[in-house]
Amino acid sequence: MKEFSSERAMSFTESVIRDMTRVCLKHQGINLAQGFPDFPAPAEIKEAAIRAIRADANQYAITWGTPALRQAIAEKFVRYNGVAMDPEKEITVCCGSTECMIASLMAIVNPGEEVIVFEPFYENYGPDTILCGARPRFITLHEPGWHFDEQELTRTFNNNTKAIVINTPNNPTGKVFSREELQFIANLCLKWGVVAVTDEIYEHILYDGTRHISIASLPGMRHQTITINSISKTYSLTGWRVGWAIAAKRLTASIRKVHDFLTVGAAHPLQEAAAAALRMEPSYYQTLAEEYGERRDFLLKVLEDVGFRVYRPGGAYYIMTDVGHFDFKDDVDCAFYLVEKIGVATVPGSCFYSRPERGMTKVRFAFPKKMETLQQAAERLKKFKPHLPICF
Ligand code: GLN
């Protein structure tokens, strides 16, 4: 019989992260798998959305985003990231950073061209490269510091390289790329004419005085960077699906066309509210980072006390752990034990790697949760007896 599914669709699996949320619901676990907050979004942003709906901002917005939101994005990008971009011609609002990423890659990559991806990587980038027909080239981030090998990266750039995907602060490792590392990458991009596609959605979730640098702010990179961001993580609004891609005029023209035919546009009233979100006072971001810092420190200690080997994140809201010294067959075995027997959902590390065996000893915990949720998870994790041989 004729195969109805495309080879493309069959060449990747469903998201393991989203699947672990469903497994968690089935077992009534505490969801430290998929990264979304269980605490309320800021009241003033919710009010702004309600006002926008009442004012009848209920029809299509301009395809590439409402003027108010694009203006707010441009102002914030100069203020926080140090790069001036034209809201009329250089910003595209999409349905979350997820759409920004696929729309951007489809806008720039021809089938067979190479896209460099650091691994471990956020799961979506794998299917994203397949969907745009790219040939992915993976560069390992080596633990414990999650550094890349400069020579390996240098050797990987070539005439057929079209883009490099950067994610800083990084999911799942918590690595925050330093200025020196970004400069090294930028030099290669400039030498080979490669576009940096940078996912910076965790830019305000930083610890221990770490600073966020946007590669677009480095000399010469303004013209060949696509900076992707969203309201999801910074304002705890993951379900609103409002994100944006910032790029120089010609790149933006292509991104806008792909975006238009993919989705037409993001929800209009939520864009109006997002514009209000981007104008929050500086103290909002400070409190956000401080509260995440408390959650991080709490969960790090819980996990260490139970025997996990932890990688201390410098940013974002995940803790990568190593479980290779426990008696599990692999990461999936460990994650299923955790959700089914302990009642805490996590993400098996292999889904962040192109070669799953590299993540076989790793499990990721997400901590965008109320302290009381993390305390409940801590109570449950106390029952975890990893030193006992586990047959499962
Ligand atoms: N970024 C989140 C994570 O890694 C999930 C995002 C999503 O599922 N769309 O868990």
Side-chain angles (χ1 to χ4, degrees):
M1 205 177 92
K2 200 172 188 176
E3 175 56 62
F4 290 152
S5 294
S6 70
E7 282 169 23
R8 199 176 264 183
M10 287 192 297
S11 66
F12 53 88
T13 60
E14 267 181 34
S15 156
V16 176
I17 298 175
R18 267 83 80 187
D19 188 44
M20 287 310 289
T21 286
R22 294 189 290 270
V23 174
C24 180
L25 286 170
K26 189 167 125 200
H27 295 283
Q28 292 166 346
I30 296 172
N31 193 350
L32 305 189
Q34 192 179 12
F36 62 87
D38 71 346
F39 45 84
E44 55 270 52
I45 309 178
K46 291 189 283 195
E47 288 306 321
I50 293 163
R51 274 199 309 276
I53 290 172
R54 291 217 169 100
D56 246 325
N58 295 317
Q59 310 309 326
Y60 303 122
I62 293 172
T63 281
W64 40 82
T66 64
L69 178 53
R70 281 181 286 118
Q71 184 62 36
I73 292 166
E75 285 169 17
K76 185 163 179 296
F77 202 52
V78 179
R79 208 163 54 232
Y80 187 65
N81 311 72
V83 190
M85 301 297 277
D86 176 1
E88 286 306 317
K89 298 255 182 310
E90 299 184 314
I91 293 174
T92 311
V93 176
C94 297
C95 300
S97 61
T98 298
E99 191 216 326
C100 290
M101 182 57 78
I102 187 67
S104 298
L105 290 177
M106 289 180 98
I108 60 174
V109 178
N110 295 306
E113 288 180 330
E114 295 179 14
V115 172
I116 300 175
V117 179
F118 291 103
E119 82 173 340
F121 52 85
Y122 172 50
E123 223 191 359
N124 283 35
Y125 306 155
D128 284 346
T129 54
I130 293 172
L131 287 170
C132 72
R135 197 173 150 236
R137 301 286 309 269
F138 296 99
I139 295 289
T140 307
L141 296 172
H142 298 277
E143 62 259 38
W146 306 105
H147 295 298
F148 58 86
D149 178 337
E150 294 187 348
Q151 285 179 4
E152 188 191 358
L153 187 66
T154 305
R155 277 196 309 271
T156 305
F157 274 76
N158 65 70
N159 266 331
N160 195 32
T161 311
K162 194 58 170 287
I164 180 166
V165 176
I166 299 160
N167 173 213
T168 182
N170 184 259
N171 174 11
T173 65
K175 172 190 176 68
V176 181
F177 282 69
S178 68
R179 181 180 288 279
E180 291 69 30
E181 287 174 315
L182 292 169
Q183 188 61 63
F184 189 86
I185 299 167
N187 291 345
L188 288 168
C189 287
L190 293 167
K191 175 174 175 195
W192 292 100
V194 167
V195 180
V197 183
T198 171
D199 173 349
E200 303 186 1
I201 61 172
Y202 302 99
E203 65 176 357
H204 287 287
I205 303 177
L206 298 165
Y207 312 113
D208 310 325
T210 313
R211 280 202 54 205
H212 169 73
I213 310 286
S214 286
I215 194 166
S217 69
L218 302 184
M221 287 304 289
R222 183 195 185 287
H223 300 286
Q224 57 191 74
T225 300
I226 303 175
T227 306
I228 292 172
N229 216 317
S230 89
I231 57 170
S232 292
K233 313 295 180 178
T234 305
Y235 307 101
S236 306
L237 293 163
T238 62
W240 281 19
R241 317 309 303 133
V242 178
W244 53 88
I246 308 175
K249 237 182 264 177
R250 285 187 53 194
L251 279 170
T252 289
S254 295
I255 296 168
R256 285 181 173 184
K257 279 193 287 181
V258 177
H259 156 72
D260 188 4
F261 287 104
L262 279 178
T263 64
V264 177
H268 187 168
L270 304 186
Q271 290 190 51
E272 300 293 359
L278 266 65
R279 297 209 163 90
M280 299 284 272
E281 293 297 316
S283 63
Y284 170 80
Y285 303 97
Q286 211 177 323
T287 307
L288 180 85
E290 278 166 15
E291 288 180 353
Y292 272 118
E294 285 164 25
R295 297 178 186 115
R296 177 198 67 162
D297 293 345
F298 177 81
L299 189 60
L300 275 174
K301 179 154 189 332
V302 168
L303 294 174
E304 275 179 314
D305 287 350
V306 181
F308 286 86
R309 296 202 178 116
V310 298
Y311 298 105
R312 189 181 169 84
Y317 52 45
Y318 307 98
I319 298 174
M320 248 322 213
T321 66
D322 202 292
V323 297
H325 53 299
F326 296 158
D327 278 321
F328 293 104
K329 196 165 91 237
D330 56 25
D331 58 320
V332 176
D333 193 22
C334 177
F336 272 83
Y337 179 85
L338 280 167
V339 67
E340 290 178 357
K341 302 280 192 251
I342 305 297
V344 174
T346 59
V347 177
S350 51
C351 76
F352 302 108
Y353 287 84
S354 61
R355 289 148 285 195
E357 60 282 5
R358 297 206 168 179
M360 251 175 72
T361 65
K362 299 194 174 62
V363 166
R364 188 196 79 173
F365 288 78
F367 57 85
K369 304 292 164 193
K370 293 184 241 179
M371 276 310 278
E372 63 190 80
T373 308
L374 295 177
Q375 271 149 5
Q376 283 166 15
E379 284 308 310
R380 293 184 182 196
L381 284 164
K382 280 186 194 151
K383 290 181 288 178
F384 186 57
K385 299 277 185 267
H387 52 283
L388 299 176
I390 293 158
C391 302
F392 192 56

